[in-house]
Amino acid sequence: MLKNYLKTTLRNLKRNSSNTFINVFGLSLGITCSLVLFLLATFLLSYDRYHENFDRIYRIVHSENDQQGNRVYNNGVPSPMADAVREEVPGIEKLAFVSNKYSNTLVSIEDKEASGGRQYFEEREGVAYIEETFFDLFTRPIIKGNRAGFGQPGKVILSEKLADKYFGSTDIVGKEIVLNKEQVLEVTGVMEDVPRNSDFPFEMFISYSTIKKGYEEHGWGSVSSDDQIYLLINESVKPETINESLVAFKEKQFPNDDQDRSYFLQPLKDLHFDTRFSNYRYATVSDGNIITMVLVGFFILVTACINFINLSTAVAVKRSKEVGVRKVLGSTRKELVKQFMGETFFIVLLSIIVSLGLAELLLIYINPFLDIDLSINWFTDGKIELFILSTLIMVTFIAGLYPSFVMARMKPAVIIKNQLSNVKTSGISLRKVLVGLQFVITPFFIIGTLVLVAQMKFIKESDLGFKMDAVIAIDIPESKDLQKKTLKNSIERITGVQQVSLASRTPLSGSISVTDIKLENDPREYYCDIKWADENYIPIYDIELKAGEGLKAVDTLTRVVVNEEFLKVAGISDPGEVLGRMVQIWGSDVPITGVVKNFYSRNLRMKIEPVMLVNGTGNARTLSVKLSGQNFNAQLDDIKEAWQQVYPEYTFEYEFVDEVVAAMYESEEEMAVIFTFFSSVAIFIGCLGLFGLVSYTTNQKVKEIGIRKALGASVQNILGLVSREFMAPVLVGFVIAAPLGWYLMNEWLQNYQYKISLGLDVFAIALAVTIVIAMVTTGYKSLQAARSNPVDSLRDD
């Protein structure tokens, strides 16, 4: 029996080769996309879950009202807060303070064969100052040496990667490295390399006690987003209890708080997904994006199943005589269902095999695009096996059950008389429902893609408040002011260089420094984004000066320049009114000498904050250089030569500022590309399903079409006859998809402070695209039916 079924299956698949190809291709695409999205969602959800204490680790974060009463969120804390929380908040088993070193780090080791007796390495990221307790909270195994004595100043633990890079071995305990030619550090251990799914991408840990004294001199009023506190709470203590204690702690430390500040715990499981805050990868993925991935994968698979059902029922007429003969010869409905389900299983199995190959090809492009390392591991990842097995069973059942019952319940008498095309069944309405469901999914994807693309275009074309044409940014290592100024002066003398500026960061930067200030004759306390800069910062970025004058070429804090938002929150309407008024900052009273137009200091997800520009090349970490519009390469070569004269041990690297800004929206761009790609696949599969409906319709109406043509019906009349079968479900589907798309995309847009508005034009375009797709999809089959010879369709077989 099984042998007979197998022979019949192979013969039917070969006989209906075009439908077999469409079925296998459609299912393969659907399974491929759902598999890749499953892998991507699984990888994202795995972030930080490898830590043994995952469920008990929390980060202290805070929220506060800005000067306009809006709630803002920050994961940074003042450095003295760590010891204060450790002493005053009960229920904490361990506490670890972590400070990311967000600047170039020059590492040198003794090497008698190298020039000068030392070998130099440059680390642009992955360096952090931590307390020894970090290893009590987080799982980062030490494979050589130990953490004994790490709490003392001048200690360092390296990853296997860096140990091999510096020394060519991991047996390096007791050896020394020197940071920035000044700080001698002793290696106390070597740890495992950081996993890809970690929000702590550090390769070098330096004991926090090395810099603790200098850090805490900034006091409670200075906060950096890279300074964070992590807690391991006791198993018997609930997070709510700690939160209550943090309320009392805040009241004690900030008794005269005007911002309604609130400290609370954020669980480690939210670190990668809570977009209100950042992490040390500077990348978060919202829960909504994860849910979207899962839903897109599910709907693509459902669309592929609907496509299979429609195509299978479309060929039922062609196989009607086979079914009739089998029934006459004694086949039962149960046996026929088994046969057709077996054929479905075979097609699904073949589709899964094809999809695995397609998925591997797709990952070749997705992995480097998203900078991840997804793979299909059959023997080490049980989730993959479970996904494949459940997909095989589910798709076989969903896609095969209905067509099997349709063909198994055909009446032999009707079949043998070739009257099947005249039979009306409830299946016709079900097929319309299925196609309607496809065209709820399809326009939804179209609407989502249009909104996503429009928002990305809006971001790119927004007025940032500064210009960055032909401006490059060069990260400067920690060094003496004299070196920085020497480099600046050397570059200024290069032909073609228009302006050079030393500053903490470019105007729009992911690294944010915030401090509290007080304005003269105003009892309130304000928080401002601080940017250290020189006299060329405002002109090089063409930031519009609304009143007063800019910064001067001095190193001491003698004046500040504020933006319009600062005036707004202070309740000052005329920029001239604030000139000359004193602000208290870091214990000094300095005058406001200028007001600049608002510019974005953070990304477009956030609102524009009060910004204060202050003199201070000692805090400069970036050199901005404006080039002339020609012969860039020669200018860059001269700049590199000037760099090597001042920093011979460091690698010269630069970025155009417009590329730096674009990188801040890289995650949105990646999501837009991924969503657009998979949406296109879903739309294509939906077209295959619509093609199936048209095929079924023309098969059902073959004699009716023949009679109409014999009676003089034109091609246009026949096209209209066939079109009516699909236009209704397409329009009904769009009516359902439009409000759903509006609601969900409007919710997504709430992640941005500055965003597009969802107007009728988006839905008009989506409707037009949907109709065009439907017309093009059905055009071939409808035209083929309209042009067929009525003699062929009316001839008895």
Coordinates of all heavy atoms in Angstrom, one line a residue, residues 8 11-12 15 318-327 336 339-340 343 415:
T8 N 2.3 6.7 -6.7 CA 1.2 7.7 -7.1 C 1.6 9.1 -6.8 O 1.4 10.0 -7.6 CB -0.1 7.4 -6.4 OG1 -0.5 6.0 -6.7 CG2 -1.2 8.3 -6.9
R11 N 4.3 10.2 -9.3 CA 3.7 10.4 -10.6 C 2.9 11.7 -10.7 O 3.0 12.4 -11.7 CB 2.8 9.2 -10.9 CG 2.3 9.2 -12.4 CD 1.6 7.9 -12.8 NE 0.5 7.5 -11.9 CZ 0.5 6.5 -11.1 NH1 1.6 5.7 -11.1 NH2 -0.5 6.2 -10.3
N12 N 2.1 11.9 -9.6 CA 1.3 13.2 -9.6 C 2.1 14.4 -9.5 O 1.8 15.4 -10.2 CB 0.3 13.1 -8.5 CG -0.9 12.1 -8.8 OD1 -1.4 12.0 -9.9 ND2 -1.3 11.4 -7.7
R15 N 3.5 14.9 -13.0 CA 2.5 15.3 -13.9 C 2.1 16.7 -13.8 O 1.9 17.4 -14.8 CB 1.2 14.4 -13.8 CG 0.1 14.7 -14.7 CD -1.1 13.8 -14.4 NE -0.7 12.4 -14.5 CZ -1.5 11.4 -14.1 NH1 -2.6 11.7 -13.4 NH2 -1.1 10.2 -14.2
K318 N -8.3 18.7 -12.0 CA -7.5 17.9 -12.8 C -7.4 16.4 -12.3 O -7.2 15.5 -13.1 CB -6.1 18.5 -13.0 CG -6.2 19.9 -13.7 CD -4.8 20.4 -13.8 CE -4.7 21.8 -14.5 NZ -3.4 22.3 -14.7
R319 N -7.5 16.2 -11.0 CA -7.3 14.9 -10.5 C -8.6 14.3 -10.1 O -8.6 13.2 -9.5 CB -6.4 15.0 -9.2 CG -5.0 15.6 -9.4 CD -4.2 15.4 -8.2 NE -4.0 14.1 -7.8 CZ -3.4 13.7 -6.7 NH1 -2.8 14.6 -5.9 NH2 -3.2 12.4 -6.4
S320 N -9.7 14.8 -10.6 CA -11.0 14.3 -10.2 C -11.3 12.9 -10.7 O -11.8 12.1 -10.0 CB -12.1 15.3 -10.7 OG -12.0 15.4 -12.1
K321 N -10.8 12.6 -11.9 CA -11.1 11.3 -12.5 C -10.3 10.2 -11.7 O -10.7 9.1 -11.5 CB -10.7 11.3 -14.0 CG -11.8 11.9 -14.8 CD -11.6 11.7 -16.3 CE -12.8 12.0 -17.1 NZ -13.3 13.4 -16.9
E322 N -9.0 10.6 -11.3 CA -8.3 9.7 -10.5 C -9.0 9.3 -9.2 O -9.1 8.2 -8.8 CB -6.9 10.3 -10.1 CG -6.1 9.4 -9.2 CD -4.9 10.2 -8.5 OE1 -4.5 11.2 -9.0 OE2 -4.4 9.7 -7.5
V323 N -9.6 10.4 -8.5 CA -10.3 10.1 -7.3 C -11.5 9.3 -7.6 O -11.9 8.3 -6.8 CB -10.7 11.5 -6.7 CG1 -11.6 11.3 -5.5 CG2 -9.5 12.3 -6.3
G324 N -12.3 9.6 -8.7 CA -13.5 8.8 -9.0 C -13.1 7.3 -9.3 O -13.8 6.4 -8.8
V325 N -12.1 7.1 -10.0 CA -11.7 5.7 -10.3 C -11.3 5.0 -9.0 O -11.7 3.8 -8.8 CB -10.5 5.6 -11.3 CG1 -10.0 4.2 -11.5 CG2 -11.0 6.2 -12.7
R326 N -10.6 5.6 -8.2 CA -10.2 5.0 -6.9 C -11.4 4.7 -6.0 O -11.5 3.6 -5.4 CB -9.2 5.9 -6.1 CG -7.8 5.9 -6.7 CD -6.9 6.8 -5.8 NE -5.5 6.7 -6.3 CZ -4.6 5.7 -6.0 NH1 -5.0 4.7 -5.3 NH2 -3.4 5.8 -6.5
K327 N -12.4 5.6 -6.0 CA -13.6 5.3 -5.2 C -14.4 4.2 -5.8 O -14.9 3.3 -5.1 CB -14.4 6.6 -5.1 CG -13.9 7.6 -4.2 CD -15.0 8.6 -3.7 CE -14.5 9.4 -2.6 NZ -15.6 10.2 -2.0
L336 N -8.1 7.7 1.0 CA -7.8 8.8 0.1 C -7.2 10.0 0.9 O -6.3 10.7 0.5 CB -9.1 9.3 -0.6 CG -9.6 8.4 -1.7 CD1 -11.0 8.8 -2.1 CD2 -8.7 8.3 -2.8
Q339 N -3.7 9.2 1.5 CA -2.8 9.4 0.3 C -2.5 10.8 0.1 O -1.3 11.2 -0.1 CB -3.6 8.8 -0.9 CG -2.8 9.1 -2.2 CD -3.6 8.8 -3.4 OE1 -4.6 8.1 -3.4 NE2 -3.2 9.3 -4.6
F340 N -3.5 11.7 0.2 CA -3.3 13.1 -0.1 C -2.5 13.8 1.1 O -1.7 14.7 0.8 CB -4.6 13.8 -0.3 CG -5.3 13.4 -1.6 CD1 -6.6 12.9 -1.5 CD2 -4.6 13.4 -2.8 CE1 -7.3 12.5 -2.7 CE2 -5.3 13.0 -3.9 CZ -6.6 12.6 -3.9
E343 N 1.0 12.9 0.3 CA 1.6 13.7 -0.7 C 2.0 15.1 -0.1 O 3.1 15.6 -0.4 CB 0.6 13.9 -1.8 CG 0.4 12.7 -2.6 CD -0.6 12.9 -3.8 OE1 -0.9 14.1 -4.0 OE2 -1.1 11.9 -4.4
I415 N -18.1 12.9 -10.8 CA -16.8 12.9 -11.3 C -16.7 12.2 -12.7 O -16.2 12.8 -13.7 CB -15.7 12.2 -10.4 CG1 -15.6 13.0 -9.1 CG2 -14.4 12.1 -11.1 CD1 -14.8 12.3 -8.0

